[in-house]
Amino acid sequence: MDGRRSHKRLTLLLDEQGSRLYAALARLTPGRDLAAELFQELFLRLARSATFATADDPDRFAWRTAINLAMEWRRGRDRRPVQHPENYVREPESAEVSPLETLIHREQVERVLDALSELSESMRECFVLRLIEQQPYEQIARQLGKTPHQVRGLCHAAIRNVRERLNANHRTPADAKAGGHD
Amino acid sequence: MTERQEYRQIIEAARQLGRTRPDSAEVDEAVAEIRRRLAQPSPSRRRRRVFAAVAAISAAAAALLVAVLIVNSSRPATAAERLRDAADATHAYKGWVHIRPQQRPASTAPASRRSLLEPTDVIMHINTADGRVAVQFKVLGMRNVLMNVPERQEQLVYNSAMNAVRIDAIGKDVAKGWIKAAADAPLRLADMLAEMKKSGMAEPRVTSTDDNGLTRFELTFPQDGRPVPDRYREIAMAGQTVWVDPESKLIRRMRTHSEGRDLLVETSYGAPEIRDIYDLGVPRDTQAIDARADAKLFADEDTTRPAAREPTTRPDPTVDLDAVAERLRGRIAAGFGDHVALLCQEDFPNGHGTHRSGAMTLYAHQGKAELSNYYLAAPLGPIMGLLGFPPNWPTPSLDDALPMLKPVIPVHATVTDGEHAWGIQSYGAQPRPMVQTIPPAHTPSVAEIIWPRLPSPNKAKGQDGEVIYNITINSTLEAVRDVDRPELLGLHTTTATKFNWNGRDVQQRNEYFYWIDPAREDMPIETMHRFGGLAPEDQNKITTIRQIYEEHTRLPDGKWHPTAWRELEQRPAQAGAEPGLRRRYWLQILPNAKLEAEWFADPRQRFPHLPETRPATGPQTRPRD
């Protein structure tokens, strides 16, 4: 019974959320091939998950699993700079963007995402769903079983934690000396 | 950058990322693939169907196959088929491939953003069999040669001004990656055509002609309203031309369009075989600098454990902390007189020298004029239009560094001519330097990176405009001694912040140890910064950053300063923990060296197109005397 129910849920999830889930994975990882691979891995995990088959909110479970998958990959990989920029998800291009700016932007995004991978699950989810996926607070709150106010708080905490991690990794000597006394 | 600006930058980076979209064809394919897998019947039913179908289709298939063979054997290959054969043959070639790109400005291209740092005379050599890659190029008249040898896990870099070959180690995984990349390169026409087809683009129309012994293929893309991915838009509009050797079927030349410019790539195969970097014209008597030892410097530092050595400290209540704080403030205020200073820093991720990156900070003090300019740099930077490492890195002379720094906008800077001041900051998810006129105020000085700024435990008075630091609740400051280094003075500060989060009390703590040598003008010997949560469950999340000062020097006027130190980040072992940051610094202070007046002027005089942001509304403080 669970197998049929799971199959039905997977099909419905694919129809309703498939494109958005794929797009989210493509944003959170730096390669087209990787996004496709993680997308397949996501559905494999959902297919094998008893929790997914019986979850009250299968969409929420799927989103959480997708975000966790991307972050697992980030934590486990060798953090070299992206080797092949042409594999990156297509970004809104501007004739004014120089190679330097594009390179810095991509590196910055990678650093933010790497810092994000170290946060708690709740903070990560709120950050991704609100700031990257641009979902309204109310929708995220319903998904996470929290109030919109709590979601706002988690987002603020996530941004603060990301900032602290970025600052810890990329401080100029003056920043290092200034430390906590500014 | 202020805290608020940093928050905005993170939010903007996330929003920009959210606005990106994968190709719809790519999404559709991924979803369709899952749908196909979901629709597949169970294995047992699948086998029965297969057996039942085999007999039914085999006869028809056999007949069809025969028909196809007969038809194909008598039909000459179309231009498209011949081009595809050439693309496949080129992709399958094993050996040295030599590539010479020549980029020409298109007549309709906007005014060039080409900087003095754009590389010229670029030649690439790729060995598709064993992954060796070499690149030759020129920047500012200097010849550069880079060669990667994955088999030996080495990267060699030559610069003609430096007249040295630097050898760095590359990690095993990086070496494997190079081998794979070389095998997949070059001239990925075959892949590009396949990707175009997958993305739903119309197949190009291909025509062929003879062109001086080569077969010339023209690809034109029908403008039939079908969506074209952005990365192929220029090619789709301008078309592409490929010249193929009819004998070998290898691509010899390709014309394409990129960033508003025509790109012509000439390719040859086989000779010259490149055995080492000297086969690329590097003089054989060039000094070789083996930098692989640098990797070993960090290899012993296990940064997934907490700091191995904790000093054994004991408080020393006899030290007059007010006097020490006043003394340090005095050293910072006195500075080094008129001088120019250059701070070079380089990151060593994972203890290897590959993907080297770093930064340079230029400080200057000339009478009332001051500046502090921060630049990102990387030895391969010029290939991407970034700042490269200057000759004699990491201790370049001003003659080495200034010509490279001058045409480059710093990532951030503070500049004053004594009466006016300007700041440069980089904003946005795609950081763009912007300038603003600011009230003449404090300019970061090199002295501030040498001596710490301490809060005064007791004194709360200061001069007008002076920024003072007070001990506040939850902060401590004490003098300590290390039993193993009794000649040093340790300054131990802590700050603790407590707040309530979702009903839970959260405590964050910052702790500093500054070990200084009072016998040498309070030179820094070691600094340790530890931060993290105070709660028991947070004890395995504390991060420690150490700076170890290895060399110091004395200037002609007797003043001391550190010349080399390294920075390590150590985190406790966690699942998936990354090795800590490794960075080295080299500082040169040049008393009485001078910069030209234009360095201290409004940056827009050197960079007329530098955009302006809104005027600063910071606190009004008087200029430094």
Side-chain angles (χ1 to χ4, degrees), chain A residues 15 100 153 163 171 179 181, chain B residues 6 35 386 469 501 512 583:
Chain A
D15 289 339
L100 165 63
R163 173 183 168 266
R171 301 177 316 162
H181 302 297
Chain B
E6 287 174 355
R35 198 164 275 127
L386 290 169
Y469 302 95
W501 176 250
Y512 284 87
R583 182 178 286 168

Side-chain angles (χ1 to χ4, degrees), chain B residues 24-25 30 135-136 172 174 223 270 300 361 395 410 502 582 617 624:
Chain B
S24 54
V135 182
Q136 306 174 66
K172 198 183 295 183
V174 173
Q223 309 299 313
D300 292 335
T361 311
T395 52
N502 267 353
R582 292 156 171 152
T617 55
R624 291 175 57 176

Side-chain angles (χ1 to χ4, degrees), chain B residues 153-154 166-170 289-300 348 351-353 566 584:
Chain B
Q153 291 178 233
E154 281 178 2
R166 180 182 166 117
I167 308 168
D168 283 292
I170 57 176
I289 300 170
D290 189 342
R292 288 171 291 186
D294 283 348
K296 294 191 182 66
L297 178 68
F298 293 95
D300 292 335
F348 288 82
H352 296 294
R566 55 191 168 116
R584 297 187 72 181

Side-chain angles (χ1 to χ4, degrees), chain A residues 7 10-11 14-15 18-19 22-23 26-27 32 39-40 43 75 77-81 83-84 86 89-93 95-101 103-105 108-109 112-113 118 127 131-132 134 150 153-154 157 159-160 162-163 166-174 176-182, chain B residues 3 6-7 9-11 14-23 26-27 30-31 33-35 37-38 113 173-174 181 188 195 230-231 343 345 350 355 374 384 386 412 429-432 448-453 455 469 493 499 501 512 514 527 529 531 545 547 549 567 569 571 576 578 581 583 585:
Chain A
H7 188 274
L10 285 172
T11 308
L14 189 64
D15 289 339
S19 303
Y22 182 87
R27 289 180 192 116
R32 176 179 47 244
F39 191 60
Q40 293 197 11
F43 276 82
R75 282 194 298 270
R77 85 196 198 288
D78 181 3
R79 292 194 183 171
R80 294 191 299 279
Q83 292 274 2
H84 300 287
E86 64 269 18
V89 170
R90 176 174 57 91
E91 298 176 33
E93 290 183 7
E96 295 305 314
V97 176
S98 69
L100 165 63
E101 291 162 334
L103 187 70
I104 292 175
H105 165 62
Q108 183 133 19
V109 166
V112 168
L113 292 177
E118 295 170 18
F127 186 104
L131 296 178
I132 299 178
Q134 298 285 297
Q150 286 173 327
L154 281 167
I159 296 168
R160 188 176 62 248
V162 164
R163 173 183 168 266
L166 293 179
N167 281 344
N169 283 338
H170 298 284
R171 301 177 316 162
T172 65
K177 277 289 180 227
H181 302 297
D182 287 331
Chain B
E3 187 175 325
E6 287 174 355
Y7 283 142
Q9 194 173 58
I10 292 166
I11 293 169
R15 285 187 178 149
Q16 286 265 354
L17 184 60
R19 286 195 280 272
T20 62
R21 298 278 182 273
D23 289 339
E26 176 189 322
V27 178
V31 170
E33 177 62 25
I34 301 294
R35 198 164 275 127
R37 287 172 185 254
L38 286 175
R113 286 182 276 112
D173 288 343
V174 173
R188 301 175 61 177
E195 280 179 23
D230 280 352
R231 63 182 177 279
L343 177 72
Q345 65 190 70
N350 301 322
H355 305 296
Y374 177 76
M384 297 175 284
L386 290 169
H412 59 78
Q430 297 179 357
R432 301 176 190 211
E448 289 172 333
I449 67 168
I450 295 173
W451 292 287
R453 286 178 288 173
Y469 302 95
T493 79
F499 54 94
W501 176 250
Y512 284 87
Y514 300 105
T527 301
H529 177 202
F531 57 94
I545 297 176
Q547 293 184 316
Y549 293 81
E567 182 178 283
E569 181 183 17
R571 299 179 192 175
E578 290 292 328
L581 173 69
R583 182 178 286 168
Y585 296 88

Side-chain angles (χ1 to χ4, degrees), chain B residues 68-129:
Chain B
V68 165
L69 282 173
I70 290 173
V71 167
N72 278 345
S73 67
S74 62
R75 177 176 64 80
T78 64
E81 287 165 349
R82 283 183 287 133
L83 176 61
R84 203 167 291 270
D85 286 346
D88 290 341
T90 304
H91 195 64
Y93 178 84
K94 294 297 173 202
W96 280 107
V97 181
H98 312 281
I99 302 167
R100 287 170 174 75
Q102 296 160 34
Q103 199 153 27
R104 298 183 297 219
S107 58
T108 55
S112 172
R113 286 182 276 112
R114 201 175 306 137
S115 74
L116 291 172
L117 298 174
E118 184 166 304
T120 59
D121 301 344
V122 179
I123 308 175
M124 292 172 58
H125 312 274
I126 303 174
N127 188 306
T128 57

Side-chain angles (χ1 to χ4, degrees), chain B residues 522-600:
Chain B
D522 299 317
M523 278 293 101
I525 304 302
E526 185 174 328
T527 301
M528 186 162 68
H529 177 202
R530 189 177 288 146
F531 57 94
L534 281 170
E537 62 269 25
D538 294 331
Q539 291 313 297
N540 65 342
K541 299 174 190 170
I542 292 175
T543 299
T544 302
I545 297 176
R546 299 167 70 201
Q547 293 184 316
I548 301 166
Y549 293 81
E550 294 163 325
E551 295 170 24
H552 303 76
T553 193
R554 208 164 183 183
L555 295 171
D557 64 1
K559 285 189 174 170
W560 285 92
H561 74 86
T563 53
W565 63 98
R566 55 191 168 116
E567 182 178 283
L568 309 169
E569 181 183 17
Q570 294 168 313
R571 299 179 192 175
Q574 292 173 314
E578 290 292 328
L581 173 69
R582 292 156 171 152
R583 182 178 286 168
R584 297 187 72 181
Y585 296 88
W586 298 268
L587 174 64
Q588 299 174 82
I589 298 179
L590 306 161
N592 298 316
K594 287 193 187 312
L595 300 180
E596 292 156 349
E598 59 182 337
W599 282 92
F600 302 100

